[in-house]
């Protein structure tokens, strides 16, 4: 299995170029469901240690349904198949450029949640225009074990987010353990207390927002992913959900650009345009770097062939 690894602001992406399972044809959402339910051991084995690394997201290339798209892609982390992934899309675009498959300019990519567009600005810099994102519920109060009452917004940006602003704990690298524990507790509380999307979708990511000590940066976030790892990048789908909340609050004008950084200080430039269904069409610009090209080996006598799952 041929893979190329990159990182987007420190957040790793492993693009799987061949050797994945046959997911059939048809809508990508259906193929993503098959990956999640019929090939769980496969996708986890790509990312779990010792073959993978904590936080890594996989990007399985598949044929698009829409022939106008450069490729189809299904993203997953070590715990779940994702609807979309912003940092993964930046990593994927830089990987396709590295392979000579795309040149600077605009390209369409099909994901399980819809077609997005990517603009390759140079070998490392990519502008992603995501699917329409929206705030679904504002100021939802939940009771969180050990932390009392916490209020946040439920928003969609290609995945489902509960966004707490301001964070009860300062968002800085020294607090990553405490931020992780708090966001895991918040996600459990959301699930237990029925905070869900319109069609029963579970909150899969939690965001804590804070100010940045850097004067040109609008805000800093901490994002918990389904695998209980934090996003080293500012999270593309999370930033999309956050833009929807800022727009709904009248706190950011259409077309206005802000810089948002992750807990480790990786930046994205963000802006939005009004969406056709009352939400926002987010744009995020960030950088990725290629780290490795490899062939993964799955030796039958390897006791940890499927990864370390605990
Ligand atoms: O950048 O959208 C994102 C993302 C989702 C999970 C990890 N990164």
């Amino acid at each position: 299995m041929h893979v190329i690894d990159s990182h987007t602001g420190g957040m790793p992406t492993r693009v799987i170029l061949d050797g994945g399972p046959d997911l059939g044809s048809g809508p990508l959402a259906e193929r993503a469901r098959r990956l999640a339910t019929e090939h769980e051991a496969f996708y986890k084995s790509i990312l779990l240690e010792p073959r993978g690394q904590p936080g890594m997201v996989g990007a399985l290339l598949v044929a698009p349904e829409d022939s106008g798209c450069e490729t189809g892609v299904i993203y997953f982390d070590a715990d779940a198949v994702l609807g979309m992934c912003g940092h993964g899309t930046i990593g994927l675009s830089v990987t396709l450029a590295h392979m000579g498959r795309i040149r600077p300019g605009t390209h369409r990519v099909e994901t399980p949640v819809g077609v997005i567009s990517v603009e390759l600005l140079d070998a490392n810099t990519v502008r992603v225009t995501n699917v329409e994102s929206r705030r679904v519920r504002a100021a939802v109060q939940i009771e969180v074990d050990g932390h009392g009452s916490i209020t946040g917004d439920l928003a969609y940006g290609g995945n489902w987010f509960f966004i707490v602003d301001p964070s009860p704990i300062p968002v800085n690298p020294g607090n990553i353990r405490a931020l992780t524990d708090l966001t895991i507790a918040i996600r459990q509380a959301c699930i237990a207390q029925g905070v869900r999307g319109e069609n029963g979708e579970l909150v899969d990511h939690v965001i804590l927002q804070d100010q940045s000590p850097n004067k040109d940066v609008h805000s800093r976030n901490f994002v918990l992913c389904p695998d209980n790892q934090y996003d080293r990048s500012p999270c593309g789908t999370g930033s999309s959900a956050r833009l929807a909340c800022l727009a709904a609050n009248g706190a950011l004008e259409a077309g206005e650009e802000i810089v948002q950084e992750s807990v480790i200080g990786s930046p994205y430039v963000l802006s939005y345009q009004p969406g056709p269904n009352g939400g926002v069409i987010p744009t995020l610009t960030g950088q990725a770097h290629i780290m490795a090209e490899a062939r993964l080996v799955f030796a039958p006598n390897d006791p940890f062939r499927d990864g370390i799952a605990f």
Side-chain angles (χ1 to χ4, degrees):
M1 182 177 302
H2 183 193
V3 300
I4 298 185
D5 294 352
S6 62
H7 74 86
T8 306
M11 187 66 171
T13 304
R14 174 163 281 173
V15 177
I16 298 127
L17 299 169
D18 55 44
D22 179 7
L23 300 174
S25 56
L28 252 67
E30 182 53 30
R31 283 186 262 171
R33 196 197 55 73
R34 262 179 234 135
L35 179 65
T37 55
E38 295 168 22
H39 302 282
E40 195 181 354
F42 158 79
Y43 78 78
K44 293 191 170 185
S45 71
I46 306 289
L47 302 182
L48 287 171
E49 293 181 273
R51 197 174 284 106
Q53 57 181 281
M56 185 173 240
V57 162
L60 179 64
L61 297 191
V62 295
E65 262 208 309
D66 177 340
S67 60
C69 289
E70 177 60 38
T71 186
V73 61
I74 301 173
Y75 295 111
F76 51 91
D77 74 8
D79 186 70
V81 173
L82 303 170
M84 219 309 264
C85 180
H87 95 264
T89 301
I90 296 172
L92 168 64
S93 306
V94 165
T95 298
L96 294 176
H98 170 78
M99 294 169 68
R101 265 187 65 173
I102 62 170
R103 297 173 59 79
T106 302
H107 309 273
R108 298 170 78 238
V109 173
E110 194 170 315
T111 78
V113 297
V115 173
I116 58 167
S117 96
V118 298
E119 189 179 354
L120 182 70
L121 299 173
D122 62 40
N124 298 106
T125 312
V126 180
R127 181 178 296 136
V128 178
T129 301
N130 195 7
V131 293
E132 184 165 358
S133 303
R134 62 189 190 281
R135 180 166 72 182
V136 175
R137 288 176 65 189
V140 182
Q141 200 172 317
I142 52 172
E143 293 304 316
V144 182
D145 258 3
H147 299 274
S149 183
I150 289 188
T151 302
D153 287 357
L154 176 69
Y156 173 79
N159 295 302
W160 286 90
F161 293 85
F162 191 76
I163 305 178
V164 179
D165 182 10
S167 171
I169 299 175
V171 174
N172 63 53
N175 285 339
I176 284 174
R177 187 64 258 166
L179 292 161
T180 303
D181 291 343
L182 172 59
T183 47
I184 290 173
I186 291 175
R187 189 179 53 208
Q188 279 167 350
C190 286
I191 292 170
Q193 291 163 41
V195 180
R196 294 178 174 209
E198 300 97 335
N199 297 310
E201 298 92 342
L202 299 180
V203 167
D204 42 30
H205 295 68
V206 175
I207 302 182
L208 303 176
Q209 289 287 155
D210 201 357
Q211 291 174 339
S212 164
N214 304 315
K215 75 172 175 36
D216 297 329
V217 175
H218 175 274
S219 44
R220 173 183 272 191
N221 68 13
F222 176 91
V223 185
L224 179 80
C225 298
D227 59 359
N228 289 345
Q229 285 290 321
Y230 72 97
D231 199 328
R232 281 70 168 161
S233 81
C235 190
T237 51
S239 295
S240 300
R242 161 86 168 146
L243 283 168
C245 296
L246 290 173
N249 285 339
L252 189 71
E253 293 299 314
E256 200 181 328
E257 282 193 342
I258 56 170
V259 177
Q260 171 154 266
E261 66 184 10
S262 69
V263 61
I264 64 162
S266 304
Y268 281 166
V269 177
L270 306 176
S271 66
Y272 73 89
Q273 291 298 325
N277 302 304
V280 302
I281 304 290
T283 298
L284 46 127
T285 307
Q287 289 206 318
H289 293 84
I290 301 291
M291 298 189 291
E293 283 196 53
R295 284 201 181 275
L296 303 185
V297 175
F298 296 81
N301 65 346
D302 178 351
F304 290 107
R305 186 175 187 269
D306 290 336
I308 303 168
F310 37 82

